[in-house]
Amino acid sequence: DAGVIQSPRHEVTEMGQEVTLRCKPISGHDYLFWYRQTMMRGLELLIYFNNNVPIDDSGMPEDRFSAKMPNASFSTLKIQPSEPRDSAVYFCASSPGTTIYFGEGSWLTVV
Amino acid sequence: SQQGEEDPQALSIQEGENATMNCSYKTSINNLQWYRQNSGRGLVHLILIRSNEREKHSGRLRVTLDTSKKSSSLLITASRAADTASYFCATDSPNAGGTSYGKLTFGQGTILTVHP
């Protein structure tokens, strides 16, 4: 298996623009997670899905963030409008129920 | 506040020495896991220890768990320069039914630097 695949790997965008991050989890994994990592706040869980259903979105910073999982092999995290404080590494991860497998991350810079 | 908090925040050692990192947590757990993150990369799972286990080994890694103190330690023996990375503990806490929520809560990590 190729592992968790994220795109884009790097994105630089201007404040106010919409950003869409994409994720393909490992086939057969029931759980999908979106994490954000910054120096100041460490690794934060934004939202996670079980069998494509959002279970806990309490970590989503505000209404500008939304996440969808239309099927078992695809998820998106959208930020609209983006702000400089959203600059971070966004990780998608999937799990069969115990160990979590991370993608390589999407490095987002909002200028 | 973080469920898992690592100590020290940073550790610098020479190749061949042992590295010990500690993790404390606040609530009951089903299991505790350790992950490694190389610079610019995603986290990679290293080892899992269940709440009813006290010690576990994997290669040069040794993990201990003390549920009475709500703490765990990760020992890397005979460290190598390639072990340079950040190390995170993560806890899986039970839901009301005692089973897993499926999510992990990560600590802030320990940055390990191994000098050749």
Side-chain angles (χ1 to χ4, degrees), chain A residues 17-22 34 46-47 60-68 75-82 86 90 108:
Chain A
Q17 295 297 306
E18 177 179 294
V19 174
T20 300
L21 308 179
R22 298 173 179 80
W34 283 100
L46 301 178
I47 184 171
M60 296 286 261
E62 47 198 277
D63 291 345
R64 297 184 298 106
F65 286 69
S66 63
K68 294 181 180 179
S75 177
T76 60
L77 178 68
K78 187 174 293 187
I79 308 172
Q80 166 63 19
S82 58
D86 301 330
Y90 291 83
L108 175 65

Side-chain angles (χ1 to χ4, degrees), chain A residues 6 9 35-39 42-44 88-92 102-107, chain B residues 6 21 34-46 74 76 81-89 106-113:
Chain A
Q6 292 187 243
R9 287 297 316 279
Y35 285 90
R36 177 173 69 175
Q37 187 177 37
T38 61
M39 289 294 293
L43 194 63
E44 303 173 278
V89 184
Y90 291 83
F91 287 103
C92 178
F102 283 77
E104 294 287 56
S106 291
W107 294 67
Chain B
E6 287 90 343
M21 289 158 270
W34 286 89
Y35 287 76
R36 166 191 168 132
Q37 183 180 31
N38 285 49
S39 180
R41 307 296 297 274
L43 282 74
V44 175
H45 177 257
L46 292 176
L74 171 67
I76 304 174
D83 295 328
T84 294
S86 293
Y87 292 82
F88 295 84
C89 69
F106 285 82
Q108 293 281 27
T110 292
I111 301 171
L112 173 66
T113 303

